[in-house]
């Protein structure tokens, strides 16, 4: 009996494996551009990971449904759930990278980005880390395969500090500013920039780490209560954000004085807190939906092929996922302009495409993204493309934009990027890319 | 019939004391090692090597270390993740701070420092045991998590708190391709596997097992509990530390303390329990089970779903994985509490009598 059931199990597993192998080889033969997707729909950060993943998938679907692919090349994609764990992410990367001749990976986790930064150059795969990842990787001369498009954490921190400075009338000397951060590479990223700014502007920076996943923050907020900082910057993700807001309510810390980075200021973060979170500020890099949202609603959700609930379409993190997918698609489209329209692009060609992206307002309008994202252009020197964001404020029911686009101050970030990229290059014994290499 | 040992006479002590006294075992293991070194790299593709075999080898090594402590000496530890982390960070610091540090030496130094930390956190085992010791070793886990997150010196003052290595080489040969990495890890595993197998057969191994089975009785017959327990902690942490260094250097390349969180400790303990406590073979089975099963589920479930016409979403897949995993662990513990290694030995026993069982 036992042996029979064991045999059954083996047989089932074997058929499963063969069919898996057969389907993958069938995929490889078709003329399709493959997009690996590394989202997380499970784990401690799922509430924020899911809308992002849905937006990402829907955008890829709308390109197929509305435009028939990228210049006729259909998009195929496959998800592999990382649960925000670095080793799972690495496994997913290894699993999906073999399915095409080079692709764009977007791991949505600073930890996984760090691990993949070491691997991607060998495999000739590009990494888009839109709004996260290594801040110094905006230096394209050292980080040939990394693209922290649309802002790094240094840009984010800089924009928040600019906004606060303006609010305080230009002088924040002697003020106390606390950074409540997720104690992981993600949370620690903004620290060098804030320290630089603290030196420049003479404010007092307090670093208050919160252990991942961030549910337990009592001790941190006790420190906030004691120190009474003038502003609190929140660098949280997932459940940590709503927990921080609840603690702020409990501590009586004014929400108006709190600023979240773009990962800490979306609907899932404030919904549970509701009215109590009123006045909380956060960064946002995407604008309101516009045409693309209508397209997704008609072409994808209208045909019952949408990912996730239709009500989520147009929310902050959904838009973010959508824009991230758009950047990947545009990278491929740009590559096709040089290497042949209607062809499947290889890893090196896609990298060239990403490095020579020029998405001006006209191009964005054509894609329906005109109101969603700011124009962006990359180069060999600058892999970041654009570095601006807006502040939005929660009114208890929805987010409202409360500032204009603010551009991060390059005069502060650039030297810092150079310094850290050089440090990385020395550690890894890399040499900066030459002008000739930039042309390739 | 195939596995018959009658007729194999041992006429010298040396013959009688071999690691594998039965000829079939000896040939089998040699063939297996030869296959692992020569056959596997030829057959396996890059994904197989990088995503399945390399983590399998490294986690087997770690499970081997944990098995010595938990399975052979009976000291339940939940701090294995911490000892892996110590190994990784110590190796990292030797590797980046000393110019021209050989990779193998750095990895072994990682093991050495893990030994020191392991012995330090093993001291409570002299007073407390069982569940109490598990909690005491959990302290090691939390302490190390804290230290590697907060003390910047350990990560070479990296701004984001991650450590990363590059340019790995042994005697001038680079360790970059999956094949090289696989062979590198396999060499470590084979050496440590044979050493561990020998160690548990020796006097010290018997002392560990005596302590495990009944520590008071062991003390009465002249075994020093302090020596036995601390040596088990030392040997175990050394192996676990080496595995940690390999996990960080070879598999991840760039890591943060979360790679060695308490989850990792639990994972290692599961491997030992599922694979078989007090069995070298069991460590490999356990590691294979824990590493390979989620991947198989991930590959098979969508295809199975397609057969029945159901689309399995990414989230459903991960949830199913956790459910199946939990169910299988419970099922295994009920059906075969001695782990997969017991199934193996039952199989061997059956082969011995085949085809005429009595």
């Amino acid at each position: 009996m036992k042996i029979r059931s064991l045999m059954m199990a083996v047989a089932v597993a074997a058929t499963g494996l063969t069919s898996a192998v057969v389907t993958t080889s069938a995929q490889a033969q078709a003329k399709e551009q493959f997009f690996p997707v590394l989202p997380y729909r499970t784990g401690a950060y799922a509430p924020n990971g899911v809308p992002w993943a849905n937006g990402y998938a829907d955008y890829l679907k709308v390109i197929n449904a509305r435009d028939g692919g990228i210049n006729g090349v259909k998009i195929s994609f496959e998800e592999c759930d990382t649960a925000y764990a670095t080793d799972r992410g690495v496994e997913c990367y290894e699993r999906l990278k073999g399915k095409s001749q080079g692709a764009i990976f977007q791991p949505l986790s600073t930890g996984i980005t760090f691990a993949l930064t070491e691997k991607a150059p060998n495999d000739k795969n590009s990494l888009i880390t839109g709004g996260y990842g290594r801040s110094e990787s905006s230096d394209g001369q050292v980080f040939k395969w990394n693209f922290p498009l649309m802002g790094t954490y240094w840009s984010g921190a800089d924009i928040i500090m600019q906004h606060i400075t303006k609010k305080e009338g230009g002088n924040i000397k002697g003020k106390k500013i606390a950074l409540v951060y997720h104690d992981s590479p993600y949370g620690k990223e903004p620290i060098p920039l804030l320290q630089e700014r603290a030196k420049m502007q003479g404010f007092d920076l307090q670093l208050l780490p919160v252990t991942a996943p961030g549910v337990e923050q009592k001790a941190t907020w006790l420190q906030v209560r004691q120190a009474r900082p003038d502003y609190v910057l929140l660098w949280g993700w997932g459940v940590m954000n709503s927990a921080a807001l609840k603690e702020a309510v409990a501590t009586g810390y004014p929400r108006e004085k709190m600023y979240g980075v773009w990962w800490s200021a979306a609907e899932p973060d404030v919904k549970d807190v509701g009215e109590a979170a009123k006045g909380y500020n956060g960064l946002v890099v995407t604008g309101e939906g516009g045409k693309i949202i209508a397209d997704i609603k008609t072409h994808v959700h209208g045909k019952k092929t949408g990912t996730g609930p239709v009500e989520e379409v147009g929310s902050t993190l959904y838009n973010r996922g959508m824009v991230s997918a758009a950047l990947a698609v545009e990278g491929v489209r740009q590559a096709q302009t040089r290497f042949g329209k209607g062809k499947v692009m290889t890893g090196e060609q896609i990298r060239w495409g990403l490095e020579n992206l020029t998405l001006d307002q006209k191009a964005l309008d054509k894609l329906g993204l005109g109101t969603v994202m700011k124009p962006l252009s990359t180069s060999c020197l600058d892999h970041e493309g654009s570095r601006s964001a807006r502040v939005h404020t929660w009114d208890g029911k929805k987010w409202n934009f409360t500032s204009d686009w603010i551009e991060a101050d390059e005069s502060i970030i650039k030297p810092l990027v150079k310094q850290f990229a050089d440090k990385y290059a020395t550690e890894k014994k890399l040499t900066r890319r030459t002008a000739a290499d930039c042309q390739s | 019939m195939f596995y018959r040992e009658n007729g194999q006479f041992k006429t010298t002590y040396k013959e009688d004391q071999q690691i594998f006294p039965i000829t079939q075992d000896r040939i089998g293991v040699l063939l297996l090692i030869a296959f692992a070194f020569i056959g596997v790299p030829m057959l396996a593709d890059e994904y197989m090597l990088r995503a399945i075999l390399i983590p399998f080898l490294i986690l087997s090594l770690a499970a081997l270390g944990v098995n010595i402590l938990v399975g052979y000496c009976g000291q339940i530890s939940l701090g294995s993740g911490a000892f892996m982390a110590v190994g990784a960070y110590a190796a990292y610091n030797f590797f980046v701070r000393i110019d021209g540090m050989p990779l193998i030496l750095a990895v072994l130094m990682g093991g050495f420092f893990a030994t020191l930390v392991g012995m330090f956190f093993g001291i409570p085992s002299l007073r407390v045991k069982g569940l109490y010791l598990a909690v005491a070793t959990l302290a090691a886990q939390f302490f190390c998590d804290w230290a590697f997150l907060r003390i910047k010196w350990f990560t070479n003052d990296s701004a984001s708190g991650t450590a990363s290595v590059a340019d790995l080489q042994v005697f001038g040969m680079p360790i970059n391709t999956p094949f090289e990495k696989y062979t590198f890890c396999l060499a470590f595993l084979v050496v440590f596997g044979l050493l561990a197998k020998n160690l548990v057969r020796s006097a010290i191994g018997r002392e560990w097992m005596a302590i495990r089975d009944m520590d008071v009785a062991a003390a009465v017959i002249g075994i020093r509990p302090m020596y036995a327990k601390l040596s088990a902690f030392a040997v175990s942490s050394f192996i676990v530390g080496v595995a940690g260094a390999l996990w960080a250097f070879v598999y991840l390349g760039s890591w943060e303390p979360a790679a060695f969180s308490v989850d990792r400790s639990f994972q290692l303990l599961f491997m030992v329990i599922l694979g078989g406590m007090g069995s070298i073979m069991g460590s490999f089975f356990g590691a294979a089970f824990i590493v390979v099963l989620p991947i198989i589920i991930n590959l098979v479930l969508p295809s199975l779903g397609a057969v029945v016409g159901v689309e399995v979403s990414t989230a459903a897949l991960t949830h199913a994985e956790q459910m199946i995993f939990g169910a299988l662990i419970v099922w295994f513990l009920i059906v075969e509490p001695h782990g997969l290694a017991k199934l193996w030995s039952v199989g061997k026993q059956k082969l011995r009598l085949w085809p005429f069982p009595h």
Side-chain angles (χ1 to χ4, degrees), chain B residues 13 38 45 136 168 203 221 340 346 349 353:
Chain B
Y13 283 119
I38 304 161
D45 60 354
L168 301 179
I221 59 168
L340 296 164
V346 166
Q349 207 61 41
L353 299 172

Side-chain angles (χ1 to χ4, degrees), chain A residues 178-337:
Chain A
L179 173 70
V180 173
Y181 65 98
H182 191 265
D183 205 352
S184 68
Y186 156 57
K188 285 178 186 163
E189 268 296 314
I191 295 174
L193 182 112
L194 289 172
Q195 281 168 340
E196 189 72 24
R197 274 230 170 221
K199 241 187 287 164
M200 258 175 54
Q201 293 185 292
F203 62 83
D204 178 23
L205 179 67
Q206 294 173 330
L207 301 175
L208 306 175
V210 172
T211 313
V215 189
E216 189 49 71
Q217 298 182 23
K218 284 268 184 290
T220 311
W221 286 90
L222 198 66
Q223 279 170 287
V224 171
R225 175 183 247 160
Q226 281 166 349
R228 285 270 148 206
D230 295 284
Y231 288 96
V232 166
L233 313 188
L234 181 61
W235 235 262
W237 183 225
V239 69
M240 173 177 163
N241 295 329
S242 48
L245 283 167
K246 281 176 190 157
E247 290 295 340
V249 175
T251 325
Y253 190 82
R255 266 71 72 204
E256 292 77 19
K257 302 259 178 184
M258 287 175 69
Y259 282 80
V261 72
W262 37 64
W263 302 117
S264 309
E267 283 80 3
D269 305 320
V270 283
K271 239 186 220 149
D272 296 345
V273 196
E275 278 293 317
K278 198 171 159 185
Y280 170 60
N281 308 294
L283 285 185
V284 59
V285 277
T286 52
E288 264 138 6
K291 187 168 167 288
I292 186 71
I293 296 294
D295 284 349
I296 285 179
K297 280 188 176 155
T298 40
H299 292 287
V300 180
H301 279 275
K303 290 181 184 143
K304 301 255 177 269
T305 52
T307 325
V310 69
E311 302 80 53
E312 201 181 71
V313 177
S315 66
T316 308
L317 283 166
Y318 181 94
N319 282 359
R320 182 94 203 205
M322 196 176 76
V323 167
S324 300
L327 291 168
V329 170
E330 289 318 303
V332 174
R333 200 190 300 275
Q334 181 67 21
Q336 285 187 351
T337 60

Side-chain angles (χ1 to χ4, degrees), chain B residues 222-241:
Chain B
I223 291 168
R224 289 165 294 166
M226 186 173 105
Y227 175 72
K229 285 178 178 175
L230 285 189
S231 62
F233 264 99
V235 171
S236 157
S237 330
F238 184 80
I239 299 179
V240 171

Side-chain angles (χ1 to χ4, degrees), chain B residues 30 35 39 50 75 86 99 147-148 211 220 261 287 328 331:
Chain B
L30 280 177
F35 177 71
R50 283 184 107 139
Q75 310 295 309
V86 172
D99 217 23
F148 294 128
I211 290 282
V220 167
S261 65
L328 272 178
W331 185 77

